[in-house]
Amino acid sequence: MAQDDPTTLVSTAWLAAHAKDPDIRVLDASWYLPSDNRDPRAEFAAGHIPGARFFDIDEISDHRSDLPHMVPPVEKFMSRVRALGVGDGHKIVVYDGAGLFSAARVWWLFRLMGHQSVAVLDGGMPKWLAEGRPVETSPPIIRDRHMTVRKNAGMVRDVTQVAQASKLGNHTILDARSTARFRGEAPEPRDGLRSGHIPGARSVPFTQLLNDDGTMKDPDALRAVFDAAGADLDKPVITTCGSGVTAAVINLALERIGKTDHALYDGSWAEWGAFPTVPVATGDT
């Protein structure tokens, strides 16, 4: 069992013990690929962790962009989070219906916006249900709460910055997609994208960072995964994936091993794979 840390990862036992604390706010950040044929809002309505509020990754995003669920403008983030009754002084726990998948994206988003007291529920809803813990269907009573935002621009990267990092080799770029997609051997789920990876990137499929029950591996095992991938953690790290969701699982894992100089490429392969002027590599390197 991972050591509980309210700034990175907490266990279901920890949440059960603290669920009724007045400063705890629980967010269901479930999001699925279209191929999963799952409706996160419907699942939330059918049963969620008591007191949870639904955080819509697609809605709380920058709708001015053609790319999926990009980081929202600060003002939009503040207004949506306030409407969820989440604000200054709250300890936030984020979970999802897959175990540990999309919740890490919302953990990273709150950290990007300057909120440090936020953790992912290790094992998420599947583990909570497997342990016979309570769920409810009624919506929570929400009271507005102001949240101060201090955006940390160093935690996010755009295509120009990633292209420069790829060319100079002064960052370690870690790709959370499957090995087959990284190598260019499997087609991308989004139409119109080239297959392959950012030159110089290393393959760290996010599933390799998890145990069979959907919980995150312990720090020693996480370090072993990064070592096996040839990831140079002496350099700053940029994470990437298909659309900026599972990349955050790598960011969370890095934070768990004490690696703090990491950023996420928000556009990820949805942008890079469609960008005609950036190079694409195939194979293992």
Side-chain angles (χ1 to χ4, degrees):
M1 180 183 295
Q3 183 177 0
D4 293 315
D5 175 6
T7 67
T8 56
L9 199 67
V10 295
S11 64
T12 49
W14 185 96
L15 180 57
H18 292 275
K20 295 185 178 180
D21 291 0
D23 59 347
I24 291 288
R25 292 293 181 271
V26 182
L27 299 178
D28 182 330
S30 298
W31 177 89
Y32 305 108
L33 293 168
S35 58
D36 292 330
N37 294 314
R38 294 179 65 174
D39 183 337
R41 278 194 177 274
E43 291 182 13
F44 177 82
H48 50 264
I49 293 176
R53 299 105 199 270
F54 185 75
F55 188 104
D56 191 329
I57 287 175
D58 285 328
E59 199 286 318
I60 307 176
S61 66
D62 187 354
H63 288 181
R64 301 168 302 181
S65 173
D66 293 332
L67 297 169
H69 38 255
M70 295 284 282
V71 169
V74 167
E75 296 77 12
K76 182 175 184 178
F77 178 82
M78 290 175 66
S79 68
R80 296 299 191 272
V81 169
R82 179 172 182 170
L84 291 173
V86 177
D88 294 342
H90 285 151
K91 297 176 182 177
I92 302 166
V93 178
V94 191
Y95 74 90
D96 63 55
L100 207 167
F101 180 66
S102 54
R105 166 73 185 194
V106 175
W107 166 83
W108 170 81
L109 183 58
F110 272 93
R111 295 287 293 265
L112 173 68
M113 296 296 181
H115 194 89
Q116 298 298 312
S117 188
V118 55
V120 171
L121 181 64
D122 201 18
M125 191 65 162
K127 191 168 190 292
W128 184 268
L129 293 174
E131 294 168 348
R133 300 190 187 275
V135 297
E136 65 181 16
T137 58
S138 57
I141 298 172
I142 291 178
R143 298 178 178 85
D144 278 4
R145 180 74 167 261
H146 174 74
M147 173 171 281
T148 303
V149 171
R150 299 182 181 89
K151 186 175 179 181
N152 179 1
M155 289 185 63
V156 65
R157 293 288 185 270
D158 62 24
V159 65
T160 302
Q161 293 168 317
V162 177
Q164 183 180 43
S166 171
K167 183 177 181 179
L168 297 178
N170 57 359
H171 288 68
T172 294
I173 302 173
L174 302 180
D175 192 323
R177 295 174 302 154
S178 69
T179 301
R181 287 172 66 188
F182 178 88
R183 290 173 175 166
E185 298 169 351
E188 287 297 310
R190 291 177 176 83
D191 292 336
L193 300 183
R194 296 171 292 170
S195 295
H197 60 267
I198 299 167
R202 296 286 182 171
S203 177
V204 182
F206 81 95
T207 52
Q208 293 185 1
L209 302 170
L210 307 178
N211 298 307
D212 291 341
D213 64 354
T215 57
M216 182 162 277
K217 292 180 176 179
D218 64 53
D220 286 343
L222 293 175
R223 291 187 188 94
V225 172
F226 291 126
D227 287 346
D232 182 356
L233 298 188
D234 289 332
K235 297 178 182 178
V237 172
I238 298 172
T239 67
T240 183
C241 61
S243 63
V245 174
T246 58
V249 179
I250 300 181
N251 295 84
L252 179 63
L254 291 169
E255 200 74 22
R256 290 290 289 175
I257 65 172
K259 173 73 173 172
T260 58
D261 53 339
H262 53 82
L264 185 148
Y265 172 25
D266 200 21
S268 282
W269 200 255
E271 180 176 42
W272 192 278
F275 219 91
T277 59
V278 293
V280 168
T282 56
D284 289 320
T285 57

